[in-house]
Amino acid sequence: MEDVYAHIDDHTERRIALLERLCSQPSISAHGVGLEEMAKLTAEAMCEYGLDAELLPVEGGPPLVYAEVAGRSSQTLLFYNHYDVQPVDP
């Protein structure tokens, strides 16, 4: 576990900087604000961490951010999430 804690300590500032970057990018889906920019930022962040990321167009909506990283197993692990937010006041 010491290696894990050392890795966390060594990368904390980088991770906080990424979180600040992501949180400062508007991406309000109900208003159509900043979705393309957030998709690009998300893909760029994934690439910075060694994933092979790309934007896939979606007809009538913001792009899908798709990324892969090769593993040492024949198993597949899928993460699904969103990169947009809803407005503060409905």
Side-chain angles (χ1 to χ4, degrees), residues 9 11 13 17 31 49 52 55 57-58 64 66 70 72 75 80 82 84:
D9 290 340
H11 296 88
E13 288 183 26
H31 299 160
Y49 281 91
D52 183 19
L55 299 180
V58 174
L64 175 71
Y66 178 83
R72 292 177 279 183
Q75 301 297 311
Y80 176 81
H82 60 90
D84 64 323

Side-chain angles (χ1 to χ4, degrees), residues 16-82:
I16 290 172
L18 173 60
L19 182 59
E20 288 174 343
R21 222 166 77 208
L22 293 169
C23 289
S24 67
Q25 172 59 53
S27 59
I28 306 168
S29 61
H31 299 160
V33 173
L35 299 175
E36 293 281 336
E37 295 84 356
M38 187 59 159
K40 290 176 185 174
L41 181 59
T42 301
E44 289 170 7
M46 290 176 160
C47 289
E48 289 174 15
Y49 281 91
L51 284 79
D52 183 19
E54 62 181 297
L55 299 180
L56 303 176
V58 174
E59 188 175 326
L64 175 71
V65 182
Y66 178 83
E68 287 187 12
V69 62
R72 292 177 279 183
S73 169
S74 63
Q75 301 297 311
T76 299
L77 176 62
L78 171 70
F79 289 96
Y80 176 81
N81 207 335
H82 60 90

